[in-house]
């Protein structure tokens, strides 16, 4: 794993943070999609690509090369009229590529036996981080199993929660400011 939920969440949260303070719902939906997209490569395995093939799972779609190319395509699709290499173009491009690459980085923490072909198509070595904490992908048929629950609990605790706190810090602080009495109105005697 990490689970698709985590990739989606991380993608959307990165999209929100990178476009603050004016993040549109459209940008968040696009970054959610881009965060999950590399895992569409499971189609390659269904079509017969071997487990360590570049066309199989965690192959080329999990590479930095893919992130760089698809980031540019996504920018073109989303903002067709935007002058290429303008500041706004770079902002969109770097965010989209970063979101796609975030998928591979998360997968490199997986505890399973399938690494990430980070430098495909130039090098088919599969990479992991030295620290591998995230339990490998829950499959649909195992969805209600302790291992899956553990994997999700781990991701929620160590990926979702810190990222959510950071992403929505403005809203959270705003909420506290609304809830707490204003210092001026508190009477001390
Ligand atoms: Zn993946």
């Amino acid at each position: 794993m990490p689970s698709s939920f985590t990739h989606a969440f991380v993608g959307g949260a990165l999209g929100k943070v990178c476009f603050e303070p004016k993040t549109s719902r459209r940008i968040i939906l696009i970054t959610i999609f881009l965060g999950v997209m590399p895992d569409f490569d499971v189609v390659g395995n269904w079509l017969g690509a071997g487990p360590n093939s570049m066309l199989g799972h965690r192959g080329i779609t999990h590479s930095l090369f893919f992130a760089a190319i698809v980031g540019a395509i996504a920018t073109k699709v989303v903002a067709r009229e935007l002058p290429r290499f303008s500041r706004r173009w770079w902002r969109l491009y770097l965010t989209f590529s970063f979101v796609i690459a975030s998928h591979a980085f998360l997968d490199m923490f997986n505890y399973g036996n399938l690494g990430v072909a980070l430098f495909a198509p130039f090098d088919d070595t599969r990479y992991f981080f030295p620290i591998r904490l995230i339990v490998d992908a829950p499959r649909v048929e195992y969805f209600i199993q302790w291992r899956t629950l553990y994997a999700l609990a781990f991701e929620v605790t160590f990926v979702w929660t810190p990222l959510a706190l950071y992403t929505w810090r403005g809203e959270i602080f705003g909420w506290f400011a609304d809830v707490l009495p204003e210092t001026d109105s508190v009477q001390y005697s």
Side-chain angles (χ1 to χ4, degrees):
M1 141 61 161
S3 65
S4 308
F5 304 113
T6 298
H7 288 304
F9 182 80
V10 170
L14 289 176
K16 180 176 187 297
V17 169
C18 292
F19 282 91
E20 277 182 336
K22 287 189 235 157
T23 321
S24 66
R25 191 166 296 178
R26 182 162 168 253
I27 287 289
I28 294 189
L29 288 175
I30 292 164
T31 49
I32 285 174
F33 174 76
L34 291 176
V36 178
M37 192 178 56
D39 275 349
F40 293 171
D41 62 4
V42 289
V43 172
N45 290 115
W46 294 340
L47 295 177
N52 279 311
S53 153
M54 277 201 210
L55 296 176
H57 188 40
R58 295 194 184 137
I60 184 116
T61 62
H62 287 57
S63 68
L64 297 175
F65 177 78
F66 182 87
I69 300 287
V70 176
I73 296 171
T75 308
K76 181 78 191 158
V77 170
V78 169
R80 210 168 282 272
E81 339 64 59
L82 202 61
R84 200 179 300 172
F85 309 132
S86 61
R87 264 187 69 178
R88 276 203 61 211
W89 186 92
W90 277 111
R91 192 172 191 187
L92 276 175
Y93 172 68
L94 290 174
T95 303
F96 290 162
S97 300
F98 182 47
V99 165
I100 300 166
S102 77
H103 183 113
F105 288 126
L106 279 174
D107 277 358
M108 283 169 64
F109 282 109
N110 91 78
Y111 202 71
N113 51 15
L114 188 59
V116 174
L118 201 58
F119 301 108
F122 312 105
D123 165 21
D124 63 0
T125 311
R126 298 292 180 128
Y127 293 90
F128 288 105
F129 281 125
I131 304 169
R132 289 158 56 183
L133 299 169
I134 297 179
V135 177
D136 206 22
R139 289 164 188 274
V140 178
E141 59 266 36
Y142 301 134
F143 208 74
I144 306 300
Q145 280 199 353
W146 286 115
R147 203 173 84 110
T148 309
L149 292 180
Y150 166 77
L152 280 174
F154 187 92
E155 289 169 25
V156 167
T157 311
F158 293 102
V159 182
W160 292 52
T161 307
L163 194 58
L165 287 174
Y166 180 74
T167 306
W168 283 282
R169 65 196 180 285
E171 286 82 346
I172 294 167
F173 288 136
W175 186 80
F176 276 115
D178 289 344
V179 168
L180 296 172
E182 294 204 15
T183 353
D184 295 349
S185 64
V186 179
Q187 301 291 320
Y188 296 99
S189 50

